[in-house]
Amino acid sequence: MTSLPDLIKPIPYRENISFSKLTTLGVGGQCKLLFEPVDEGQARSLVKTFIREGWSYRILGGGSNLVVLSDIDEPVIRLNFKKELKVRGREITAPANYGHIRLSQEVALQGLSGMEYASGIPGTTGGALHMNAGAYGRELVQILSRYRYINPEGDVIDAVPDSSNFGYRWSHLGSGYVALNFTVCLTPGDTKSIQAEVESNLHKRGSSQPLSKRNAGCIFKNPEGHSAGRLIDQAGLKGYRVGDAEVSSEHANFLINHGKATAQEFYDLMIQVQSKVQSRYGITLEPEVEVWGNIN
Ligand SMILES: Cc1cc2nc3c(=O)[nH]c(=O)nc-3n(C[C@H](O)[C@H](O)[C@H](O)COP(=O)(O)OP(=O)(O)OC[C@H]3O[C@@H](n4cnc5c(N)ncnc54)[C@H](O)[C@@H]3O)c2cc1C
């Protein structure tokens, strides 16, 4: 990349940050240029400038759904907005860099029901919107009342959810879109029972997921009518290891980094799991995680 255009020079940025620090899985190369805009105006200036210069760019949230395989040369935007909630009765608006788990805990404390399912889903609210994150048969779009984003043309859009724009671990906010905030509409309930459900969900995860090891959550989507974890387990792959990357023996759809896994090892493990499940069941497992970069 040539030198930075003047318009975006005042926007905070850092160079050469390792993706091991930016993602929960901890593999990958360097993030060559990480911009951290502090408000919507700065985020929009970045997008407009990148469009004008013809540069592609990426958006990073909490890095909890990412497998990064190499250095990323394109500029990466990670929002650093003020982490403040706006509460209007049953409606809560959160900036897109707000912690998703923190939001579910805070609304529970306020006696608002509807986000209990999210109490163990890490990352940011922006990442949750992009992914339409969900668990236990619930997903974000079910409680979403409004959301605000920058589109790939650099316009700020206020939207209400339309079912055609959200699906299973998918939303229309694909490449080039920057989620800015969202508003959820919740139901008043009994604080103690809401918090009890939050605790119970956290407990379920603690006892079924390898949370003491670095991971990126479920690696593969559940194929129609199947559980990806069950298929991987029944293919005898729990504990299967490539270097420091391993199929968790607690939850087969979690691939874990024992500490020193390389991107190559992680990639090889993903490919081998896919190919063994394919040859045994004829089912193609599709990644639920986003994969950035390439193995050379
Ligand atoms: C232990 C563990 C458990 C998990 N359990 C679940 C679960 O039960 N259900 C579930 O759905 N997921 C789960 N996940 C996956 C992950 O936490 C979610 O998908 C989460 O919503 C990703 O958010 P993030 O901020 O970390 O996104 P990132 O990983 O940073 O990014 C993921 C994608 O979202 C995009 N993105 C991030 N922020 C924005 C933004 N502001 N605007 C536009 N695009 C953006 C990125 O460009 C990228 O394409 C789990 C992960 C872990 C590690």
Side-chain angles (χ1 to χ4, degrees):
M1 181 179 300
T2 50
S3 66
L4 290 181
D6 286 344
L7 186 65
I8 61 172
K9 273 189 184 151
I11 300 175
Y13 71 93
R14 292 185 282 154
E15 291 176 89
N16 296 321
I17 313 290
S18 166
F19 274 104
S20 67
K21 296 202 176 95
L22 298 173
T23 61
T24 55
L25 182 64
V27 301
Q30 303 278 307
C31 176
K32 292 295 179 71
L33 203 46
L34 179 68
F35 284 95
E36 297 180 299
V38 298
D39 56 30
E40 281 189 21
Q42 289 194 345
R44 192 162 181 229
S45 291
L46 283 171
V47 172
K48 288 243 175 217
T49 304
F50 296 154
I51 296 167
R52 200 184 54 237
E53 300 289 329
W55 298 343
S56 56
Y57 56 93
R58 295 174 188 257
I59 322 299
L60 178 67
S64 66
N65 203 46
L66 282 183
V67 176
V68 183
L69 298 178
S70 58
D71 287 349
I72 298 296
D73 295 327
E74 297 147 311
V76 173
I77 302 175
R78 185 171 72 168
L79 305 180
N80 190 22
F81 295 176
K82 203 164 180 196
K83 290 187 183 161
E84 260 177 12
L85 296 180
K86 284 194 191 121
V87 182
R88 268 181 239 96
R90 309 187 307 139
E91 289 202 327
I92 314 280
T93 303
N97 56 324
Y98 206 84
H100 193 212
I101 292 181
R102 184 172 159 200
L103 178 62
S104 73
Q105 289 172 337
E106 290 196 3
V107 298
L109 277 174
Q110 294 184 30
L112 291 170
S113 174
M115 279 204 82
E116 295 87 334
Y117 74 91
S119 57
I121 306 180
T124 60
T125 51
L129 184 62
H130 168 90
M131 296 295 299
N132 187 23
Y136 316 119
R138 307 271 303 155
E139 55 188 12
L140 179 62
V141 68
Q142 294 167 334
I143 49 170
L144 189 65
S145 59
R146 293 187 300 282
Y147 57 109
R148 185 172 167 90
Y149 61 90
I150 303 174
N151 69 13
E153 288 72 49
D155 307 313
V156 174
I157 311 283
D158 285 299
V160 288
D162 175 318
S163 59
S164 67
N165 285 335
F166 292 87
Y168 172 59
R169 304 294 173 269
W170 172 87
S171 80
H172 70 111
L173 301 174
S175 174
Y177 286 81
V178 185
L180 297 170
N181 69 40
F182 72 49
T183 302
V184 287
C185 184
L186 303 168
T187 313
D190 172 54
T191 306
K192 273 201 179 140
S193 45
I194 297 168
Q195 282 181 307
E197 195 176 334
V198 164
E199 288 305 318
S200 142
N201 287 342
L202 282 173
H203 180 74
K204 259 187 255 165
R205 282 172 183 267
S207 56
S208 63
Q209 297 180 353
L211 300 183
S212 63
K213 298 279 182 215
R214 298 190 77 165
N215 69 78
C218 287
I219 293 288
F220 299 106
K221 293 184 184 180
N222 288 326
E224 187 84 44
H226 296 274
S227 147
R230 201 165 304 128
L231 293 171
I232 300 168
D233 186 6
Q234 287 168 357
L237 291 168
K238 271 187 171 174
Y240 186 81
R241 192 161 173 158
V242 178
D244 236 12
E246 184 183 321
V247 178
S248 163
S249 37
E250 284 171 71
H251 188 315
N253 200 13
F254 275 58
L255 307 189
I256 54 180
N257 174 1
H258 278 285
K260 295 194 178 110
T262 61
Q264 178 78 56
E265 288 167 354
F266 214 85
Y267 175 78
D268 289 347
L269 185 62
M270 283 178 73
I271 296 292
Q272 289 184 36
V273 168
Q274 278 175 315
S275 103
K276 286 176 202 289
V277 167
Q278 173 72 46
S279 61
R280 179 140 180 190
Y281 299 105
I283 294 174
T284 306
L285 291 178
E286 278 181 39
E288 177 169 321
V289 288
E290 305 245 342
V291 179
W292 285 10
N294 295 297
I295 290 291
N296 296 317

